[in-house]
Amino acid sequence: AIEWVRSNPLMDSMLAQGVRTLSGSLIVKAGATGYNPAWAVLTNIPMDIGYLWMTQAGRASGYSLFPPKFIAQLGTDYAQVFKDTILKKGRYEQAMAEGLGMETLTRESSPFKYTQVSGILGKIVDYLGWIGNTTEQLTRLAHRERLIKKGYDPITATQIARERIDYSVGVDYAKAVDVGAPYLNSAIQATRGVLRASKRNPKEFTYKVGYIAAITAGLWFANRTVNPENYDAIDDKRKVHYWVITTPLSYRDKDGNIRHFSFGIRKDHGQQVISTLFEAMLERIFNKRLPS
């Protein structure tokens, strides 16, 4: 208490805001996750699904380890909690009262986190932020719903669903660096969840690693066999962050260069590490190179 009383929160807040602005972190976070509806729907939901499977699937959560069955179960839970999540009633109100209302990545990325914005700008900010917050809460409520179905009482189910990842948690120095280095603390918390899952149930985690390796190998061989030119044209960084699915479709840009169409499904942090490792092994064995 003495340390808190003797500190200068206003100065700390002003310094942090200055670092965010000068480093560009403020703009990057707001544009990438804070107020980006495309991220909320196309990127965040696949990441949440993959992360849930990596960290909580199996006995601890009631979901199947077999991905197709897991997706079917989660889809059922999404349908059941969707209305309450959108309207902020029923299951949502109960879960928030039990402690599920922790920090979301969308909220954490907002430049107006501690500022009240009014008028037209305020309405735009609320609307864009609402989409991201809602998609994050949707998966958490779906997970909680599955736990309740498996016999957990609501409070315990909420605690387990909250434990999956909490962006408000973090080591002091990591959160301080995160002010100028976007998403450092969120990456640490996501990695922490994966490592925690591997420690709690090594057998399940080994199964998941094997499944990810099989998917990685299957996609790599398919892309290399069917659309090798398309796959070679894709930046290695994109391959790290996405499950890439190439197509034979292409077009010529205004400079006469051939551009290929491909699709990407966002990987969670655990999948990125594992799949990148196996893809690098495949590139080394078959093409005598390592991704840059």
Side-chain angles (χ1 to χ4, degrees), residues 62-104:
Y63 286 112
S64 172
L65 284 175
F66 185 52
K69 185 176 181 181
F70 162 75
I71 294 296
Q73 291 173 329
L74 184 60
T76 300
D77 296 335
Y78 273 150
Q80 292 176 340
V81 303
F82 182 78
K83 183 177 180 180
D84 287 349
T85 306
I86 296 296
L87 299 179
K88 304 291 188 288
K89 295 181 178 180
R91 296 177 180 88
Y92 176 88
E93 287 183 320
Q94 183 180 357
M96 295 303 111
E98 293 167 353
L100 195 61
M102 72 285 199
E103 191 88 314
T104 63

Side-chain angles (χ1 to χ4, degrees), residues 124-202:
I124 295 174
V125 166
D126 289 343
Y127 174 74
L128 295 177
W130 178 88
I131 297 175
N133 282 315
T134 300
T135 58
E136 292 189 65
Q137 291 159 352
L138 180 64
T139 302
R140 292 171 180 175
L141 281 172
H143 185 195
R144 175 181 178 273
E145 185 72 11
R146 175 58 49 172
L147 291 165
I148 292 174
K149 290 177 183 177
K150 291 298 179 180
Y152 288 92
D153 63 88
I155 294 178
T156 302
T158 299
Q159 290 174 343
I160 296 174
R162 179 189 176 102
E163 186 187 43
R164 183 171 63 90
I165 190 168
D166 186 351
Y167 296 113
S168 64
V169 175
V171 182
D172 288 342
Y173 71 83
K175 297 184 78 172
V177 175
D178 186 78
V179 171
Y183 307 115
L184 174 64
N185 188 59
S186 60
I188 290 174
Q189 295 310 313
T191 304
R192 177 171 173 260
V194 174
L195 295 175
R196 181 174 57 216
S198 68
K199 182 179 179 180
R200 287 180 176 175
N201 199 322

Side-chain angles (χ1 to χ4, degrees), residues 1-52:
I2 292 175
E3 291 178 359
W4 172 257
V5 171
R6 289 179 178 174
S7 68
N8 189 339
L10 178 60
M11 181 62 70
D12 291 343
S13 177
M14 290 176 63
L15 178 60
Q17 190 69 8
V19 173
R20 289 191 188 98
T21 303
L22 294 175
S23 67
S25 173
L26 193 72
I27 298 174
V28 170
K29 283 190 171 185
T33 55
Y35 305 116
N36 186 347
W39 170 84
V41 178
L42 301 178
T43 300
N44 183 50
I45 291 179
M47 282 182 64
D48 270 354
I49 292 173
Y51 190 77
L52 176 58

